[in-house]
Structures are given as structure tokens and as C-alpha cells.
Amino acid sequence: MLVIEQYGVKLIRLQREDIEMVRYWRNQSDIANYMEYRNYITPGSQVKWFERINNKYNYYFVIEFESKKVGLINTRDYDPENGFGEGGIFIWDKNYINSHVAVFSTLCWLNFAFFYVKLSTRSVARILRNNSGAINYNQQIGYKLLEGQENYDNQLYELTLENYLKFGSKLNKAATQLNSETSELKYHGDVSDLNVEAINQLLIKLNP
């Protein structure tokens, strides 16, 4: 199981025992209304979904903060040839929705993916055009609306490594000032077929 930590957040690779918890929160109207798929998710369909995404091309993490499981962050459909996947995040704990947890979690994952594993030089995200909060949040990180997406309801945004170095550096600096004792990125886990080779190599170096 892969675990990544930085800025006081812990990203724990999604395990089967947590999918019912995720399903419960994902079905809540205040979360589902901001998703492209809004139908009710059954226990059976959740299991099938997990079996489909539990592989080295999809990375879903439960966000843990202050010893509480508060949300989910992911990059899905990683393409080894093009090297990028589609990202997403949602916080279900109302005590943390308006906190820095989403930003800390995003920085933690992007720092790992861009700088440690070097999986890609770009990332994409789909955001409903009426979700102004998510649009503003992603723009602060450096995501830009792709050309030709203006008239779509579910719009595609792109984050390049260049823009992340520009915008993300400011956020990482601020996050470090707020979390000086936990600013170092740490990770651990087991070598697994569920990881791309670059992640497994990092884990091997931890435990040669």
C-alpha cells in the first residue's frame, strides 16, 4: 500500500475496506451535484468500479488529516506513452471543506508525481463550468482552460510542469511556512504490480 505524506496530510492508497465509506460520501447531494456522474452509486457498482481502477494506471488516495479520513484525491487513466492522467479531488468532511486540506493534498500528490516519480510533465482535470470554487482552486495551482472548451459543461483544464513550477512554488512556499515541521515529503509502501515501475523503484531504494 502506497502512502505519501506532506504538510500534515497523509494520502493513503485506496483499499477495498474504504470503498463503502467513499461511496457513502460520493452519493451525498452536496458532492454529487458537482460531479459529471450524478446517479446513485450502489454497493455492487462501487465494487465493480474499484476492481476496474485498482491497478497501476489509476491512483486513488484517501486523504487523512488530523487522524481523520476527510476526502479523496486521484489521478486516473495514466497513459504510459503520453504520461498524464486526469486528476480529481473532493473533501467530504464539512469541518475541512473551507480549510487548506485540499490545497495541501494536491501539492503533496503533484510534488510526488512531478518531482519524485516524474510520471509526467502535464496533468488534466475536468471541472463543471458552474463550479466556480473548483475553477478558482485549480487556477491557483496553475491549471488553464484548454482552447475550445468554453462551451462545454464539463470543461477540460491542463496543468503543465512549467505552470506548476510557477504557481505551485508560491503555494509550496506558503504551505511550508504553515507546516514547517511536516514540509518534507515522505512516502512508504510495498513494491506491487499496482504501481508503475518508477514508484516501485523509489520504494526499493527505501528498503534495498
Side-chain angles (χ1 to χ4, degrees), residues 183-201:
S183 62
E184 180 184 357
L185 190 147
K186 299 179 180 180
Y187 54 88
H188 65 270
D190 302 316
V191 173
S192 170
D193 291 339
L194 301 179
N195 299 327
V196 295
E197 184 59 24
I199 291 177
N200 280 334
Q201 288 302 316

Side-chain angles (χ1 to χ4, degrees), residues 2 13 59 109 112 117 119 187 191 195-204:
L2 178 62
R13 188 82 176 266
Y59 293 85
W109 172 237
F112 181 77
V117 190
L119 289 177
Y187 54 88
V191 173
N195 299 327
V196 295
E197 184 59 24
I199 291 177
N200 280 334
Q201 288 302 316
L202 285 177
L203 297 175
I204 288 172

Side-chain angles (χ1 to χ4, degrees), residues 95-126:
N95 293 317
Y96 298 100
I97 288 176
N98 295 317
S99 73
H100 296 302
V101 171
V103 175
F104 293 160
S105 301
T106 301
L107 294 175
C108 177
W109 172 237
L110 289 176
N111 289 339
F112 181 77
F114 276 141
F115 305 135
Y116 284 73
V117 190
K118 299 180 181 179
L119 289 177
S120 174
T121 57
R122 64 191 291 255
S123 175
V124 295
R126 291 193 180 275

Side-chain angles (χ1 to χ4, degrees), residues 146-181:
L146 285 176
E147 186 177 349
Q149 290 288 309
E150 294 81 6
N151 295 323
Y152 287 97
D153 286 331
N154 198 24
Q155 298 175 324
L156 189 63
Y157 284 73
E158 179 188 57
L159 174 67
T160 63
L161 177 57
E162 180 182 4
N163 276 341
Y164 184 62
L165 288 170
K166 177 181 178 181
F167 291 89
S169 62
K170 299 175 183 178
L171 292 174
N172 274 299
K173 183 177 180 180
T176 296
Q177 292 175 341
L178 292 171
N179 303 274
S180 57
E181 296 182 358

Side-chain angles (χ1 to χ4, degrees), residues 3-199:
V3 179
I4 310 166
E5 302 178 60
Q6 192 178 27
Y7 302 136
V9 300
K10 183 183 291 186
L11 309 183
I12 306 168
R13 188 82 176 266
L14 180 63
Q15 303 295 297
R16 191 183 183 97
E17 57 262 32
D18 281 329
I19 65 174
E20 182 59 24
M21 172 188 66
V22 172
R23 184 186 75 88
Y24 170 81
W25 290 111
R26 177 61 176 77
N27 276 329
Q28 301 305 302
S29 59
D30 55 345
I31 292 174
N33 287 342
Y34 289 107
M35 302 293 184
E36 182 179 22
Y37 184 83
R38 302 175 190 175
N39 294 340
Y40 181 79
I41 300 170
T42 66
S45 62
Q46 184 77 343
V47 170
K48 291 180 180 178
W49 167 79
F50 179 71
E51 292 173 346
R52 188 172 67 252
I53 59 92
N54 190 34
N55 55 54
K56 64 182 179 180
Y57 304 114
N58 297 280
Y59 293 85
Y60 285 77
F61 297 89
V62 172
I63 300 168
E64 185 176 288
F65 186 70
E66 296 180 339
S67 300
K68 300 176 184 177
K69 295 176 179 179
V70 302
L72 189 78
I73 187 170
N74 72 275
T75 292
R76 69 179 191 181
D77 300 329
Y78 171 73
D79 185 336
E81 293 185 5
N82 295 315
F84 64 88
E86 183 177 322
I89 185 173
F90 68 92
I91 305 297
W92 59 64
D93 191 318
K94 291 181 171 57
N95 293 317
Y96 298 100
I97 288 176
N98 295 317
S99 73
H100 296 302
V101 171
V103 175
F104 293 160
S105 301
T106 301
L107 294 175
C108 177
W109 172 237
L110 289 176
N111 289 339
F112 181 77
F114 276 141
F115 305 135
Y116 284 73
V117 190
K118 299 180 181 179
L119 289 177
S120 174
T121 57
R122 64 191 291 255
S123 175
V124 295
R126 291 193 180 275
I127 310 171
L128 295 178
R129 63 177 177 179
N130 65 349
N131 191 350
S132 58
I135 291 172
N136 181 62
Y137 162 73
N138 281 277
Q139 286 177 335
Q140 288 183 51
I141 297 168
Y143 280 90
K144 303 290 184 181
L145 182 66
L146 285 176
E147 186 177 349
Q149 290 288 309
E150 294 81 6
N151 295 323
Y152 287 97
D153 286 331
N154 198 24
Q155 298 175 324
L156 189 63
Y157 284 73
E158 179 188 57
L159 174 67
T160 63
L161 177 57
E162 180 182 4
N163 276 341
Y164 184 62
L165 288 170
K166 177 181 178 181
F167 291 89
S169 62
K170 299 175 183 178
L171 292 174
N172 274 299
K173 183 177 180 180
T176 296
Q177 292 175 341
L178 292 171
N179 303 274
S180 57
E181 296 182 358
T182 57
S183 62
E184 180 184 357
L185 190 147
K186 299 179 180 180
Y187 54 88
H188 65 270
D190 302 316
V191 173
S192 170
D193 291 339
L194 301 179
N195 299 327
V196 295
E197 184 59 24
I199 291 177

